[in-house]
Amino acid sequence: MPRPGRNTYSDQKPPYSYISLTAMAIQSCPEKMLPLSEIYKFIMDRFPYYRENTQRWQNSLRHNLSFNDCFIKIPRRPDQPGKGSFWALHPNCGDMFENGSFLRRRKRFKVLPASDHLGPTKQSDAAHYLQQQAKLRLSALAATGTHLPQMSTYNLGVSQSSTFKHPFAIENIIAREYKVPGSLAFSTMQSMSAGYPLHNQLTTAWPHMYNSSVIDTAAPISMTSSDYSAYGVPIKTLCHGGQSLPAIPVPIKPTPTSMTGFSALPPHIPAFLSNSPQSLSPTSPQTATSQSSPATPSETLTVIYSVFTVCQE
DNA sequence: CATTGTTTATTGCCCC
DNA sequence: GGGGCAATAAACAATG
């Protein structure tokens, strides 16, 4: 296999499917939902290959968004300006990728037509669920400062198929995208190498991906620079008290059956859905100092249950 | 009008 | 060879 030159190497087509790329983009933002244009931007920022022939791949990507049940549309709130909806991953599409790797998908995620089981399988439920999740993330964000706390929102009782983090896992991929101090980025790299026996894996295994922290210091997905929220209101306003929940928008892709609401947390949420990128590194300073985080997983879970209780009424 | 979203069709690859 | 998945093209509708 001839190795292409270094210059052309980074322009190679990434080994990810559009589903993987989209999932990466969605997972990279704190709200875990992005409008289409932001998904485009994420991909183009990270993968130079996709800065060309945009019409072609963007059409394909839109096709994937609509075609695959693992993506759900979450409508903007009425006071939210902008075109198009937010896109999120279906909460039950966990373990879609083997070992958390975005290189390979286990099987196509399909929403089951029946609704007599646990978890928000229906599009409407999933959208509802994700709305709440995004709100909780933002609330936690505002309560703890600029970064997400170590709130492993779904980690309790979740199938932790991957304490081992595959180097192709989302955490390892998007971690570099996060706006972190240089020293932290370095320690993250170190911990990744420690967690997986590959030497210098990022620079050798990801020639097709830019380290956007170099080319884009104002990381577009950091919370502070994110100019959109899923609720169309300033973060501070949104998180103030969190008492008066806005009306839950109706999902755009309705199911024929009536909406029953969901009475339980999803039975399984993948680890890659639950972890903030910072949490991938057990040695990262943020992890080391996260004990001061006010929201423990159990506390967060309690909050979630409370929200669900409210929403079911 | 540009963007976003849906749907259908075709093709290629991989695996059983 | 057939089935499943993914990439691509294209037509078309909806929307801001």
Side-chain angles (χ1 to χ4, degrees):
Chain A
M1 277 284 284
R3 278 184 74 130
R6 185 178 178 85
N7 289 339
T8 59
Y9 209 16
S10 63
D11 291 336
Q12 271 192 321
K13 184 170 185 172
Y16 308 111
S17 64
Y18 290 119
I19 294 176
S20 299
L21 292 169
T22 306
M24 282 181 211
I26 292 172
Q27 284 303 304
S28 73
C29 84
E31 298 94 333
K32 309 300 179 194
M33 57 177 75
L34 281 178
L36 182 63
S37 58
E38 294 298 321
I39 296 174
Y40 290 160
K41 205 167 77 172
F42 176 93
I43 293 173
M44 285 191 288
D45 280 351
R46 273 76 182 172
F47 304 100
Y49 174 86
Y50 290 109
R51 291 170 191 167
E52 294 175 357
N53 301 316
T54 54
Q55 286 259 306
R56 187 163 57 169
W57 69 263
Q58 288 179 354
N59 183 25
S60 297
L61 191 140
R62 288 195 305 274
H63 159 77
N64 273 279
L65 282 173
S66 290
F67 182 74
N68 291 288
D69 285 346
C70 59
F71 300 114
I72 58 176
K73 256 190 336 181
I74 297 177
R76 293 172 185 264
R77 294 200 46 73
D79 54 339
Q80 169 88 41
K83 190 169 186 175
S85 308
F86 289 90
W87 289 95
L89 284 166
H90 194 290
N92 284 7
C93 75
D95 290 343
M96 192 168 60
F97 301 97
E98 284 185 359
N99 245 341
S101 167
F102 276 74
L103 286 181
R104 186 172 180 182
R105 206 152 68 120
R106 287 179 191 272
K107 60 178 184 286
R108 175 171 289 175
F109 174 77
K110 254 335 207 178
V111 172
L112 299 174
S115 60
D116 55 347
H117 42 68
L118 297 178
T121 47
K122 293 202 303 269
Q123 296 285 342
S124 56
D125 290 352
H128 184 175
Y129 171 81
L130 288 171
Q131 288 272 9
Q132 298 305 324
Q133 289 306 316
K135 177 173 294 302
L136 283 168
R137 289 190 195 96
L138 294 179
S139 298
L141 197 71
T144 58
T146 54
H147 280 287
L148 284 171
Q150 296 297 308
M151 56 177 271
S152 301
T153 306
Y154 312 111
N155 272 357
L156 294 181
V158 164
S159 64
Q160 290 288 337
S161 60
S162 54
T163 50
F164 159 77
K165 294 298 179 196
H166 195 284
F168 290 79
I170 183 63
E171 293 92 337
N172 292 344
I173 295 168
I174 68 177
R176 326 170 56 206
E177 321 309 329
Y178 261 73
K179 187 179 183 182
V180 294
S183 57
L184 174 58
F186 179 67
S187 73
T188 301
M189 301 268 285
Q190 280 186 315
S191 67
M192 287 171 58
S193 296
Y196 194 81
L198 276 182
H199 174 66
N200 213 6
Q201 52 183 289
L202 283 180
T203 53
T204 56
W206 305 105
H208 50 271
M209 195 173 85
Y210 270 5
N211 184 345
S212 68
S213 65
V214 173
I215 59 175
D216 185 7
T217 53
I221 57 177
S222 75
M223 200 56 216
T224 50
S225 63
S226 179
D227 57 353
Y228 52 81
S229 96
Y231 306 97
V233 294
I235 303 292
K236 285 181 179 176
T237 303
L238 179 69
C239 301
H240 180 71
Q243 300 296 332
S244 59
L245 299 179
I248 303 301
V250 178
I252 290 179
K253 201 190 273 183
T255 53
T257 56
S258 65
M259 181 162 174
T260 58
F262 37 90
S263 55
L265 287 172
H268 59 282
I269 298 294
F272 83 81
L273 269 179
S274 61
N275 292 338
S276 64
Q278 291 87 350
S279 66
L280 75 94
S281 167
T283 60
S284 74
Q286 287 176 342
T287 302
T289 58
S290 64
Q291 282 87 353
S292 60
S293 170
T296 67
S298 60
E299 288 168 343
T300 306
L301 197 64
T302 303
V303 172
I304 292 173
Y305 275 122
S306 303
V307 171
F308 283 152
T309 303
V310 169
C311 293
Q312 284 176 347
E313 295 172 358

